[in-house]
Every structure is written in C-alpha cells, then in structure tokens.
Amino acid sequence: MTNWMWDAKRKTASVDSKKTERIDLPEKGFLSSILIKMNAVNGGTSNVANHLHDCVTKIEAVGAGGETMKSYTGVEAQALSWFDGLHRPWSQKVESADSYNQEHFILNFGRYFGDTEYMLDCSKIVDGQLKITWDLATNTAVGATGYLGSDQDIDVNYLIPLDWAGGAPKGYVKTTETKAFTSAVSGIDYTTIPRDNPIRRIMIRAYESGISPAATLTNAKLIAGNNKYIPWDNSMKVLKDLNTVYYPPVWNYFDDIFAKDATTTETNVAYSTDPKLVPTDERSAWPKSEAYGKITVGLDDLATPTAIASEEKVRLSAVGWGYHNCFMLPFDKPDWKPELLLQAQTYSDLKLELTQGNAGGAVAVVTEEVVAQ
C-alpha cells in the first residue's frame, strides 16, 4: 500500500555555526521534496538585519557521477518554493536579544511540494547527497550583536511516496544557479542557458537596497538560435508586471525588528503595496518612507509625543511582488504543458542578455530544466 513517508534525516540536530552538512539521499525509490528547517538564537544584545536565509549560502543535491540536481542559495530556495506553491512556510524572524529564529527551505523535485508525476528516481543516482552550507557570521560576526553561535540546529525531512505503484515519474526538475555577478553602472552581461533539456522557468534576481530591480537591470532578452528566436525581450518592470498576472502577491512578515525612529530596514519584497509597522508598546509606528523594499521606520511615544531614540521591538510585514527581489520568466504558465516548455535542446545556442543600469547590485540567474531519467 502506498502512503507518504516523512523520512527524518535530522531531528533538531545541534550543529556548528559554520559547516557543510552532508546527508545521503535514498538509494532507491522516488523523492518528491525535501523540507529543511534551520534554527538559531541571537546574541545577548541584538541581531539586526542578519537573517538565516542570507547565512545559508548553498543548498545542493548531487551525485557521485557528476550529477547536479539542485544547486542554489538559501535566498533563491525560498523564492523558488514560493513560486512553486504560492505560500511560505511558517518562520520566526526576530532581531531582539536572546531571541529564537527559524526559517524553512524547500527543494521540490517536481512542480510543487509533494508532486508524484515528477520526482527524482533515486535508483539512478550514484551515492546521492544533500549538501547544506551555512555560516552564521555571513553578515555579522557571531557574538553579542549577531547569532550566539553556540545554540543552533537543523531538521531535514525527505518526502517519499512509500512503495509507490503509480508508475515511473515523467522526470524531475533540475534547478541550478547558472550565474551570479555584481551589476555594473552600464553594459551587457550574457548568461549561457543550459541546452540539454526543456526549460521550465528562468528566475532572475536583481537586489540593491532601496533601488528598483528595473534600475539595476534595465532589460532582459532571451536569445535562441543565433537571434532567430527571441522568447523574451523587455524591461524588468514589464517582467514584474507579467509576474503579477501569473502569481499572487507574497506576504512577508517579521515577528519583530529591533528599531528606533528613523531606522532603515528591509521587507524582502521589492514592490511592496502595503508595508505595516505595529509597535509592541504604547507607541505610534508607521513607515516614513518606502523604496523597493527598504523602509524608514517612524516611531513615536504616544504620550509626549516624541521620537523614540533607542531600539525596541516593532513588528513588520509587507505584501507585494518580488519576494527576495526575484522575478520569474515562466514557460509553464498558465498551465503545465510539456510541449510548451522552452525546447532548449533544439537550439544551437541559448543565452540571456541582461542590460545593466546601476552598479553594485546582486544579480543571479537560476535555470530550471525538466530532466527525463
């Protein structure tokens, strides 16, 4: 009899503050999804603008034969799983002293969490491994004003259809960070897109604090077959508009930030339509300004009223598009039809041309292929 099995590979396992954790993939059967949870405790003063998704620098699923099924960052993992399922797993992001933080990362080998039509056939991967690389000192040194460094753990669960009798999967979704670079003030950058398999989606990330993604990258052009076929040639703003047609807004929340009046902070939502600040004391809190995910906090004492000059807890949330400043060029919308995926294997060349418009942005291109095993 077939049923879902949650194969717990790590159960609240204590880990070092910096490590690459290696966990064997199953030797047989099918693997639909992987759920990773990471927890860490703040230092005794605070831990401001230092989140676990930034500290998880690489998540990989690889085989000893050179296969790479998954390879991308924690930020990209969260954005990808949002596009897959249109929801975010519960998280706890807190910046105040001695507080507990928790974030989730999902790897889907199918089109969504728990897909059985597309899964990884583990019997065809030699010595498969999941590798998770993190460093809690990525942004801030471990200690009083960062993560404590001595109290963190991970949970890892494999989602497996036990004794699956529904037939072999049609393939699996391979996802890789194809290129990452820092944007220049101008000029064109080319990313070579894989041509071994049909392309499901191409995700583009363009992040600069307080800067429009459409300013960091002014245009994206996908070129196939020596300019004979141009599936996409338009601005990042129009790509954002396309995403608003295919995907609902994402809601991102923080249990609390640690802020005073005029503090600037990030919502992780590039185009926010409704940023909110809620005080935890007798205060008036509001966003003084907002620019592409960067807000300036307004925080007053209601009694006086005067601006609050020392940090305290404030709850932050935002709704909008561009989770982690990521935007999707989808070939699987509005419905999944294998024949309408980008048939990359039929072209002599395939490249993504990105026109740069502002220096210093973190740019990444993530490609998803549909691989038949």
Side-chain angles (χ1 to χ4, degrees), residues 50 136-147:
N50 183 29
L136 296 185
T138 297
N139 294 326
T140 306
V142 168
T145 57
Y147 288 106

Side-chain angles (χ1 to χ4, degrees), residues 79-93:
L80 287 162
S81 63
W82 153 251
F83 283 112
D84 283 346
L86 306 183
H87 63 270
R88 293 176 54 256
W90 182 86
S91 66
Q92 181 168 306
K93 290 176 282 189

Side-chain angles (χ1 to χ4, degrees), residues 189-269:
D189 185 273
Y190 290 97
T191 299
T192 299
I193 302 299
R195 292 185 293 110
D196 299 319
N197 307 285
I199 301 295
R200 176 197 185 189
R201 307 182 297 197
I202 298 173
M203 188 174 77
I204 303 171
R205 182 174 191 245
Y207 170 73
E208 287 182 84
S209 180
I211 302 295
S212 168
T216 302
L217 298 175
T218 59
N219 199 76
K221 182 178 181 180
L222 187 59
I223 305 169
N226 294 315
N227 285 299
K228 291 182 180 178
Y229 179 50
I230 310 294
W232 177 267
D233 182 8
N234 218 317
S235 69
M236 287 293 291
K237 182 179 184 303
V238 174
L239 183 59
K240 179 267 291 182
D241 294 340
L242 178 68
N243 278 217
T244 67
V245 174
Y246 284 139
Y247 306 102
V250 61
W251 178 54
N252 197 28
Y253 66 91
F254 298 77
D255 285 86
D256 69 64
I257 59 173
F258 202 50
K260 59 183 178 181
D261 186 68
T263 293
T264 59
T265 192
E266 302 279 345
T267 66
N268 301 142
V269 179

Side-chain angles (χ1 to χ4, degrees), residues 351-370:
K351 58 188 177 183
L352 181 65
E353 176 188 285
L354 297 176
T355 304
Q356 302 163 91
N358 205 66
V363 178
V365 177
V366 177
T367 307
E368 289 199 316
E369 308 169 60
V370 180

